[in-house]
Amino acid sequence: IDFDLLLENIKDLNSLVAEGSCQVEQTARGARLRRAEPLPLTLYRDGITVGHGAFRPYQHPATQQCLQDIMDGFFPSELQPRYPEGV
């Protein structure tokens, strides 16, 4: 894994999110702007964690797909069902 490239791609993806970081949230009196909560990605020597999820070794196919999505310049496809509006 090229960690330098991975971190650079994560930085680029984060900058895309920062451009549209506020979302409209409905309230009892109307609506307000709300900042999207960050989703931490923690890199370890032998695996990752996404959010507060379980540790995932690099050899696991889902972990490899997640990292490949990031390396290709995309948000991980596994996040789409949980975060359809983006994260």
Side-chain angles (χ1 to χ4, degrees):
I1 297 173
D2 182 345
F3 286 103
D4 291 332
L5 181 57
L6 180 65
L7 292 173
E8 187 64 33
N9 286 355
I10 290 170
K11 189 171 153 185
D12 290 344
L13 290 169
N14 282 339
S15 69
L16 290 175
V17 172
E19 291 174 5
S21 64
C22 291
Q23 298 174 346
V24 176
E25 178 180 56
Q26 298 295 325
T27 66
R29 294 182 162 178
R32 67 178 176 197
L33 289 177
R34 178 180 58 88
R35 285 194 175 267
E37 290 295 319
L39 180 67
L41 170 67
T42 307
L43 304 172
Y44 297 96
R45 182 184 332 236
D46 54 350
I48 66 170
T49 59
V50 178
H52 300 290
F55 177 81
R56 296 164 36 180
Y58 289 126
Q59 294 79 13
H60 192 274
T63 304
Q64 291 178 2
Q65 182 61 53
C66 176
L67 295 177
Q68 188 61 53
D69 288 344
I70 294 170
M71 296 297 277
D72 289 343
F74 300 105
F75 292 99
S77 57
E78 70 183 57
L79 300 177
Q80 290 174 349
R82 287 189 296 174
Y83 303 97
E85 301 299 319
V87 63

